[in-house]
């Protein structure tokens, strides 16, 4: 532990404010001689208030769900130390922080430290922000047993749903009757022809339709409610997702227009992913296909500009989104189209036109992190479509599924591309303890089959062709070079670089440029940003012509080429 190493070297013989100053000078948020009190407002033995003595840190240092270590002793002896999570985004006006003990052990120790009718002095240490982790844990603890889809992601059955008598909760479905007079097969054929779907895309459309639609004579028992799509780069994943959404909405509209209002089909679709880029890519494709009956929820600055007119308030009790949009409008780098989109969004927010859109619209897009916003309270999404699902840890994937009572799941991803990112100081091979396995991967191991999209739409033929010619005669199209060298880690960014790899990469680029290869035809893809930055620095020091060579990380290249 970093604290103990610092304490042993610099603070062992110090107490109180002197110890606090020493530990803070080493970059840790320590508070000495604080007072711990029970919080009488709540009937809970888990919640306490700690009155922070001395100078507070800058407000940006505090966050909701920070992990705090509280102890009776300056050495943080384990028998007199407990862990707690902050319940608000910083101290109250009186300097007190409200905590919830994390485990029953922590509750027990906290109660033992309390002295009747007299304040107890303690030391408090602010450690990591664990808001994402607590969000996942809270959601799983509170709602996972209410998830209709749970039996299907724990124990796959190859039989129809009707045969699963043990299903504890009914699965929502689009149920048609003969009186609706809807020919689902004809609708599918029409969609395939109109959008020019290839054979693999057709299989996905048919499997999703069979999962979410029950229709006499066409599909009397809906299929298992999980559809996995293995979409390699450039295989039309976003286009297919948009077509599937339009198809389902067309069926809903065709049925509902001939029914009484009280019998109309209520079936909402959530488009979600880890990144804003992935969510917006699908919504932008919907716009290109002429479909704009959707709403987007998230951070205004992170949403694509042409999607902003379709956004809704995420925090009902504040005007943060409106203020953010007004600031964005002042950006001098906005294009004319950007300015128009931001202005339209501002107008909608001022008129409160988007307040109820999350409830009224059938299609909603948001990231996994934004799915916990209060605007989603009491909203159910029978169908959730997850993009980039092979880059998401399983607990994070479960957040929107459990929050929105998911009945049908479509997961799109490529398990052969980037895995989930796990930031940990644990030894190699011990990090994650299974967190590196995605729900997508586990469902495949359980026996679910994924449909692979094999047709390439994005990659240039000069790259994807088997017989492609090299840029320079005699240069192999693919070459692995074991450079060696020493991997180094930046303390500032926690990213890695290797000086020998940088030097060799720069030499190869310079060699190609000397053979009259245009710099715009060259790209350098690095796994680490630090490495990419150092390659750029190395090249720019030697020649200005290398500035047109695109050098970036895998993530940065992927939206363009993948």
């Amino acid at each position: 532990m970093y604290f103990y190493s610092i304490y042993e070297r610099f603070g062992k013989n110090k107490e109180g404010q002197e110890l606090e100053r020493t530990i803070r000078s080493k970059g840790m948020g320590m508070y000495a001689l604080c007072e711990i009190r029970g919080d009488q407002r709540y009937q809970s033995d888990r919640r306490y208030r700690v009155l922070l003595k001395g100078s507070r840190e800058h407000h940006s240092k505090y966050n909701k769900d920070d992990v705090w270590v509280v102890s009776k002793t300056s050495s943080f002896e384990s028998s007199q130390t407990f862990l707690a999570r902050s319940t608000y985004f910083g101290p109250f006006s009186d300097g007190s922080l409200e905590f919830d003990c994390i485990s029953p052990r922590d509750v027990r120790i906290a109660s033992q430290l309390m002295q009747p009718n007299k304040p107890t002095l303690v030391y408090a240490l602010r450690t990591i922000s664990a808001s994402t982790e607590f969000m996942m844990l809270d959601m799983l603890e509170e709602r996972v047993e209410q998830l209709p889809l749970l039996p299907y992601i724990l124990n796959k059955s190859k039989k129809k749903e009707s045969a699963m008598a043990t299903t504890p909760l009914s699965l929502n479905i689009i149920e048609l009757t003969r009186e609706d007079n809807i020919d689902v097969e004809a609708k599918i054929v029409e969609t395939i022809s109109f959008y020019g779907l290839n054979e693999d895309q057709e299989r996905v459309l048919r499997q999703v339709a069979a999962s979410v639609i029950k229709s006499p004579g066409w599909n009397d028992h809906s299929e298992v409610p999980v559809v996995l799509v293995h979409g390699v780069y450039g295989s039309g994943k976003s286009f297919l997702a948009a077509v599937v959404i339009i198809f389902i909405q067309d069926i809903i509209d065709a049925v509902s227009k001939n029914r009484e209002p009280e019998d109309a089909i209520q079936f909402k679709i959530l488009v979600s992913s880890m990144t804003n880029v992935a969510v917006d890519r699908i919504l932008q494709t919907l716009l290109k296909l002429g479909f704009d009956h959707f709403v987007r929820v998230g951070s205004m600055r992170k949403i694509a500009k042409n999607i902003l007119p379709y956004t809704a308030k995420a925090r009902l009790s504040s005007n943060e989104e409106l203020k953010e949009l007004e600031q964005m409008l002042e950006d001098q780098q906005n294009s004319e189209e950007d300015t128009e989109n931001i202005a339209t969004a501002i107008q909608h927010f001022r008129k409160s036109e988007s307040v109820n859109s999350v409830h009224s619209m059938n299609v909603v897009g948001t990231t996994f992190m934004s799915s916990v916003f209060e605007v989603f309270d009491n909203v159910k999404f029978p169908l959730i479509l997850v993009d980039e699902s092979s880059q998401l840890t399983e607990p994070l994937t479960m957040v929107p599924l459990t929050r929105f009572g998911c009945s049908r799941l479509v997961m799109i991803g490529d398990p052969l591309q980037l895995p989930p990112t796990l930031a940990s100081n644990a030894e190699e091979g011990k990090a994650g303890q299974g967190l590196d396995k995605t729900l997508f991967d586990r469902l495949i191991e359980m026996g679910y089959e994924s449909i692979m999209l094999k047709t390439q739409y994005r990659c240039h033929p000069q790259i994807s062709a088997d017989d492609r010619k090299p840029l320079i005669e005699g240069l192999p199209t693919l070459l692995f070079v074991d450079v060696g060298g020493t991997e180094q880690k930046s303390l500032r960014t926690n990213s890695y670089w290797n000086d020998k790899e940088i030097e060799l990469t720069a030499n190869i680029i310079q060699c190609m440029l000397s053979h009259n290869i245009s710099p715009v035809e060259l790209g350098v893809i690095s796994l680490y940003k630090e490495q990419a930055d150092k390659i750029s620095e190395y090249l720019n020091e030697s020649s200005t012509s290398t500035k047109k060579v695109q050098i970036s990380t895998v993530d940065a290249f992927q939206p363009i080429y993948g």
Side-chain angles (χ1 to χ4, degrees):
M1 289 280 292
Y2 180 66
F3 167 78
Y4 286 114
S5 64
I6 296 297
Y7 179 79
E8 288 294 324
R9 291 177 61 189
F10 304 105
K12 196 168 185 179
N13 298 317
K14 298 176 181 177
E15 295 285 341
Q17 299 298 324
E18 185 182 7
L19 176 62
E20 178 183 298
R21 287 192 297 271
T22 300
I23 298 300
R24 284 206 194 181
S25 70
K26 305 303 177 183
M28 301 192 73
M30 186 178 190
Y31 295 83
L33 305 178
C34 305
E35 293 181 9
I36 183 173
R37 307 166 179 171
D39 197 325
Q40 304 300 323
R41 298 177 305 157
Y42 302 96
Q43 298 297 319
S44 171
D45 58 357
R46 299 180 67 93
R47 183 156 295 186
Y48 291 88
R49 280 200 178 195
V50 172
L51 181 62
L52 304 179
K53 296 294 183 72
S55 61
R56 300 185 213 170
E57 298 172 275
H58 190 268
H59 66 85
S60 63
K61 295 288 187 180
Y62 305 102
N63 202 357
K64 184 177 181 292
D65 286 328
D66 284 340
V67 176
W68 288 75
V69 186
V70 182
S71 181
K72 184 75 181 295
T73 66
S74 61
S75 61
F76 288 80
E77 183 186 336
S78 61
S79 63
Q80 299 186 67
T81 302
F82 68 92
L83 299 179
R85 56 191 281 196
S86 54
T87 61
Y88 289 99
F89 292 88
F92 295 109
S93 58
D94 63 354
S96 65
L97 267 174
E98 188 174 271
F99 292 144
D100 272 348
C101 294
I102 292 177
S103 70
R105 174 194 176 277
D106 298 315
V107 172
R108 186 177 68 254
I109 292 177
S111 63
Q112 290 172 354
L113 295 183
M114 296 287 293
Q115 298 181 35
N117 306 318
K118 152 179 196 183
T120 301
L121 297 182
V122 294
Y123 291 84
L125 190 66
R126 180 183 54 78
T127 63
I128 62 172
S129 175
S131 56
T132 300
E133 290 76 10
F134 282 125
M135 175 192 70
M136 294 187 287
L137 290 170
D138 291 344
M139 198 62 63
L140 290 172
E141 183 179 6
E142 295 170 7
R143 307 196 185 194
V144 70
E145 293 183 358
Q146 303 168 28
L147 174 61
L149 198 64
L150 189 62
Y152 297 90
I153 59 179
L154 292 180
N155 182 26
K156 176 182 180 292
S157 169
K158 294 181 181 294
K159 300 178 181 180
K160 304 286 187 181
E161 287 178 16
S162 58
M164 295 190 66
T166 57
T167 303
L169 297 170
S170 62
L171 297 175
N172 204 323
I173 193 169
I174 299 172
E175 188 163 0
L176 310 185
T177 65
R178 296 191 184 279
E179 289 73 23
D180 291 319
N181 197 28
I182 299 294
D183 188 337
V184 179
E185 179 61 28
K187 289 278 189 183
I188 291 175
V189 171
E190 179 185 337
T191 301
I192 293 167
S193 174
F194 185 81
Y195 293 105
L197 302 187
N198 62 43
E199 185 177 336
D200 297 325
Q201 292 172 328
E202 176 184 344
R203 283 184 61 201
V204 173
L205 177 64
R206 288 186 175 278
Q207 190 163 326
V208 174
S211 173
V212 303
I213 301 172
K214 183 178 178 182
S215 178
W218 177 76
N219 187 38
D220 294 313
H221 303 287
S222 66
E223 300 292 336
V224 173
V226 176
V227 178
L228 304 180
V229 183
H230 183 164
V232 300
Y233 66 92
S235 58
K237 301 186 291 291
S238 300
F239 173 77
L240 176 60
V243 170
V244 166
I245 291 168
I246 293 172
F247 167 79
I248 294 173
Q249 192 59 47
D250 282 347
I251 293 288
I252 293 172
D253 291 342
V255 174
S256 296
K257 72 178 182 180
N258 294 320
R259 289 186 179 184
E260 295 297 326
E262 62 270 17
D263 295 325
I265 293 175
Q266 305 296 325
F267 195 88
K268 296 173 73 69
I269 303 171
L270 180 71
V271 178
S272 195
S273 182
M274 181 64 182
T275 66
N276 288 280
V277 171
V279 175
D280 288 343
R281 191 185 296 130
I282 293 175
L283 300 183
Q284 287 170 326
T285 306
L286 285 171
L287 286 178
K288 290 177 182 177
L289 297 178
F291 184 95
D292 62 358
H293 298 294
F294 62 79
V295 65
R296 175 73 159 91
V297 175
S299 171
M300 297 295 114
R301 293 187 183 278
K302 296 179 181 179
I303 295 174
K305 298 289 197 305
N306 64 332
I307 300 296
L308 288 174
Y310 306 93
T311 52
K313 288 187 67 171
R315 302 169 183 86
L316 301 179
S317 57
S318 75
N319 290 315
E320 287 302 314
E321 288 96 348
L322 181 57
K323 294 177 182 177
E324 199 171 0
L325 287 167
E326 290 171 341
Q327 291 173 357
M328 291 168 62
L329 192 62
E330 297 173 1
D331 189 343
Q332 298 300 316
Q333 296 184 2
N334 287 332
S335 66
E336 186 176 338
E337 183 182 1
D338 291 343
T339 300
E340 184 179 343
N341 285 322
I342 297 170
T344 301
I346 289 174
Q347 186 178 17
H348 289 167
F349 274 80
R350 285 176 177 169
K351 293 181 178 180
S352 301
E353 293 177 349
S354 63
V355 171
N356 298 315
S357 55
V358 168
H359 292 264
S360 60
M361 287 286 187
N362 278 349
V363 180
V364 180
T366 193
T367 61
F368 280 60
M369 300 302 294
S370 298
S371 67
V372 298
F373 287 161
E374 63 178 304
V375 71
F376 289 114
D377 289 351
N378 303 316
V379 178
K380 298 294 182 184
F381 290 96
L383 173 62
I384 296 181
L385 190 153
V386 180
D387 195 13
E388 295 182 342
S389 56
S390 54
Q391 298 180 32
L392 295 159
T393 63
E394 184 166 349
L396 186 57
T397 307
M398 293 295 292
V399 169
L401 271 60
T402 53
R403 176 163 170 74
F404 302 126
C406 176
S407 292
R408 313 280 161 179
L409 176 63
V410 178
M411 303 190 78
I412 303 174
D414 185 354
L416 302 181
Q417 287 195 49
L418 296 174
T421 300
L422 296 175
S424 172
N425 294 323
E427 296 177 17
E428 189 172 351
K430 294 183 179 179
Q433 295 292 318
L435 282 177
D436 53 344
K437 180 179 289 185
T438 65
L439 179 60
F440 191 99
D441 289 333
R442 190 171 65 75
L443 291 175
I444 290 177
E445 290 180 2
M446 285 172 55
Y448 284 97
E449 295 180 6
S450 64
I451 301 173
M452 177 176 280
L453 305 178
K454 300 183 288 292
T455 304
Q456 178 55 242
Y457 291 102
R458 189 180 303 169
C459 194
H460 196 284
Q462 289 184 354
I463 298 175
S464 61
D466 293 331
D467 59 345
R468 63 187 184 274
K469 295 180 180 180
L471 289 172
I472 301 174
E473 195 63 39
L475 186 71
T477 55
L478 180 65
L479 181 65
F480 293 95
V481 182
D482 186 0
V483 177
T486 303
E487 184 182 77
Q488 300 180 69
K489 184 178 182 180
S490 168
L491 295 176
R492 179 178 59 86
T493 64
N494 287 325
S495 187
Y496 296 88
W497 83 92
N498 182 313
D499 286 329
K500 283 192 174 294
E501 291 176 353
I502 292 168
E503 184 179 357
L504 178 62
T505 302
N507 288 338
I508 291 173
I509 293 294
Q510 290 166 339
C511 178
M512 288 186 166
L513 293 174
S514 70
H515 283 76
N516 298 319
I517 301 297
S518 172
V520 297
E521 294 187 57
L522 301 176
V524 179
I525 305 175
S526 173
L527 291 176
Y528 302 107
K529 189 176 187 303
E530 193 72 22
Q531 177 104 336
D533 291 344
K534 288 185 179 295
I535 293 172
S536 296
E537 292 172 8
Y538 191 104
L539 287 169
N540 292 340
E541 287 175 0
S542 59
S543 172
T544 57
S545 63
T546 59
K547 290 184 178 180
K548 293 185 179 179
V549 178
Q550 183 169 352
I551 304 168
S552 197
T553 61
V554 177
D555 286 341
F557 269 91
Q558 212 171 326
I560 303 173
Y561 302 112

